Amino acid sequence: MEYIEVAIRDEFIRLGQAMKLAGILSLGSDIKYEIVDGKVKVNGQVEERRGRKLHKGDVFTYQGQDYKIV
């Protein structure tokens, strides 16, 4: 499985921030609605909280593309 890597410097990053960092959407409000509408998965499970903490090794999926926190 191929991932797009999202590099972080800190211990964790919040889901909304990770999506913005990955260049998925530029507006936080657009990201919020995509998450709340159940269009994002974290480690294979639908996640509806944009504040969900992601740590290195976590994978989120949006529109069939996987992104791995590294």
Side-chain angles (χ1 to χ4, degrees):
M1 180 174 281
E2 284 199 30
Y3 302 104
I4 293 176
E5 293 185 348
V6 180
I8 63 172
R9 292 177 291 192
D10 298 319
E11 179 182 341
F12 67 88
I13 188 169
R14 299 197 186 278
L15 177 56
Q17 294 170 327
M19 290 179 70
K20 193 169 185 178
L21 182 61
I24 295 171
L25 295 166
S26 59
L27 294 177
S29 58
D30 292 340
I31 290 171
K32 174 186 173 182
Y33 292 118
E34 293 297 287
I35 294 170
V36 169
D37 288 345
K39 297 180 181 178
V40 181
K41 291 183 179 181
V42 174
N43 298 326
Q45 301 292 319
V46 173
E47 180 57 64
E48 296 177 346
R49 300 170 294 162
R50 74 175 177 176
R52 162 80 184 260
K53 291 181 181 179
L54 303 178
H55 297 85
K56 292 180 181 177
D58 284 336
V59 174
F60 69 91
T61 306
Y62 178 70
Q63 293 187 340
Q65 177 63 58
D66 294 324
Y67 299 83
K68 186 172 185 174
I69 306 301
V70 296

